[in-house]
Amino acid sequence: MTSPTVKLNSGHQMPLVGFGLWKVNNDTCADTVYNAIKTGYRLFDGACDYGNEVEAGQGVARAIKEKLVSRDELFIVSKLWNSFHDHDRVEPICQKQLNDWGIDHFDLYIVHFPISLKYVDPSERYPPGFTFDGKKVVPGNATIQETWTAMENLVGRGLTKSIGISNFNGQLIMDVLRYAKIVPATLQIEHHPYLTQEGLVKLAQANNMAVTAYSSFGPQSFLELEMQRAKDTPLLFDNKTIKGIAEKHGKSPAQVLLRWATQRNIAVIPKSNNQNRLQQNLDVTSFNMTKSELEAISGLNQHLRFNDPLNYGVDQPIYV
């Protein structure tokens, strides 16, 4: 089983269901990626900040060597971290990330956050995280326009087929559209029934940007980070609306949450180390919910965001 695809404005096809590499441990990452490919996953969503791109690349290399898949059948995503937003830092760090993966191009390369931080040399600390010296957050000077122009150059250089943005709000999207020679192919955002962001989704899709949801299970993704906000929030898996719809369709609550997105043409990137859930998460386009069911799930919206730097104790209030 593999995922259906959505056509990006760059002309390339992107799987609607992928595998997210955030919080995948280094010691298991290579085997996890290899097994996910074996299960049918073709899109892998990575990032500099996840710190596991070398191991993810090892899993990809093993699968290709064993002829489970060819490179052309995979859709590999990575992200530009905040510390590398200066125009002359973008291409070198993209090349480093490609080397870490062991590939010659990304299928999609994304600006991870609309935040410029002071440059940290990868030889000193990598990934650098939010701080300059391990303690203090120091802003950088790059504008989003400067960074986006450098991102566009990556396409011309053949280092990535498509470029996108993540964690951008509506105002920033409209700003990018004023000067972009290459319109972002995708917008990746936190998206789950507690944070539906309907206006933002509508804006992106109206401008021919595919939307990818991360943290589709809401607080579940943040419990292992000991985030108090997640601990204080009822799990979506236990929500009576979600459970009732799941029982009606003979699916798991996770499948219902993912289908709520994919049925509205929003891509998803869940992860799991459990083989049964791996297969279930990939099978989220084979059933349809009714309009009233989709609306009932959307009605759970509380504008509740978990992936906010402030929730990690990082003084970068980008969502105020």
Side-chain angles (χ1 to χ4, degrees):
M1 178 188 296
T2 56
S3 167
T5 62
V6 58
K7 188 175 182 179
L8 303 180
N9 61 29
S10 58
H12 300 287
Q13 297 287 337
M14 182 181 78
L16 199 57
V17 183
F19 189 95
L21 294 168
W22 182 44
K23 298 188 284 122
V24 175
N25 294 335
N26 294 76
D27 58 346
T28 60
C29 186
D31 288 341
T32 296
V33 169
Y34 172 82
N35 189 50
I37 292 173
K38 205 170 183 179
T39 303
Y41 287 85
R42 294 296 178 260
L43 184 152
F44 291 89
D45 182 82
C48 155
D49 192 51
Y50 302 165
N52 55 14
E53 294 193 294
V54 170
E55 294 81 2
Q58 291 169 351
V60 166
R62 178 184 169 195
I64 291 175
K65 183 178 180 180
E66 295 183 12
K67 301 188 185 306
L68 295 180
V69 71
S70 69
R71 172 64 184 92
D72 289 344
E73 293 175 289
L74 295 174
F75 194 99
I76 297 178
V77 183
S78 191
K79 304 180 188 74
L80 175 76
W81 185 244
N82 311 333
S83 309
F84 309 107
H85 275 212
D86 293 337
H87 190 280
D88 60 349
R89 304 294 187 186
V90 173
E91 184 174 328
I93 200 63
C94 178
Q95 188 63 67
K96 173 185 165 34
Q97 291 176 259
L98 288 169
N99 293 341
D100 286 349
W101 275 92
I103 58 178
D104 62 5
H105 71 275
F106 290 118
D107 294 280
L108 175 63
Y109 195 59
I110 296 171
V111 179
H112 203 151
F113 279 98
I115 301 171
S116 171
L117 297 178
K118 188 174 180 179
Y119 174 71
V120 176
D121 192 316
S123 67
E124 295 180 10
R125 191 174 75 253
Y126 189 85
F130 273 97
T131 62
F132 173 68
D133 55 2
K135 298 177 182 179
K136 188 177 180 181
V137 177
V138 180
N141 295 317
T143 64
I144 293 174
Q145 183 173 4
E146 175 184 341
T147 303
W148 190 251
T149 301
M151 292 285 288
E152 292 173 328
N153 290 343
L154 299 179
V155 178
R157 297 273 291 164
L159 299 181
T160 185
K161 291 183 176 180
S162 302
I163 51 177
I165 53 179
S166 179
N167 300 306
F168 278 51
N169 63 21
Q171 295 95 323
L172 290 175
I173 290 172
M174 289 187 284
D175 184 63
V176 171
L177 291 175
R178 296 298 178 268
Y179 48 75
K181 295 178 181 177
I182 300 177
V183 173
T186 66
L187 169 67
Q188 189 172 127
I189 55 172
E190 181 178 345
H191 180 74
H192 46 74
Y194 287 152
L195 183 68
T196 59
Q197 304 205 75
E198 293 174 12
L200 188 58
V201 170
K202 184 177 180 180
L203 173 66
Q205 292 179 337
N207 284 281
N208 203 23
M209 296 180 209
V211 177
T212 297
Y214 67 76
S215 300
S216 295
F217 304 144
Q220 186 75 32
S221 303
F222 299 88
L223 288 175
E224 63 192 88
L225 301 178
E226 297 295 320
M227 183 180 289
Q228 193 60 46
R229 173 170 285 199
K231 292 180 180 180
D232 294 340
T233 304
L235 294 180
L236 284 165
F237 289 167
D238 297 333
N239 181 273
K240 63 180 182 180
T241 298
I242 303 295
K243 289 175 69 175
I245 294 172
E247 290 172 6
K248 177 181 174 181
H249 290 274
K251 300 294 181 181
S252 69
Q255 286 175 302
V256 166
L257 290 168
L258 295 172
R259 185 56 177 149
W260 170 73
T262 62
Q263 193 168 331
R264 294 178 297 120
N265 214 33
I266 296 173
V268 292
I269 44 172
K271 75 175 178 73
S272 178
N273 294 320
N274 178 282
Q275 183 59 37
N276 186 47
R277 288 196 294 270
L278 261 181
Q279 293 172 322
Q280 287 183 349
N281 289 348
L282 195 56
D283 179 27
V284 291
T285 57
S286 64
F287 69 102
N288 289 321
M289 290 182 278
T290 65
K291 181 180 178 182
S292 62
E293 288 172 334
L294 293 173
E295 291 174 347
I297 296 172
S298 296
L300 300 174
N301 184 38
Q302 298 178 21
H303 307 287
L304 185 57
R305 186 184 305 276
F306 298 99
N307 194 39
D308 184 333
L310 295 178
N311 290 339
Y312 303 106
V314 177
D315 187 20
Q316 288 288 291
I318 63 172
Y319 295 115
V320 294

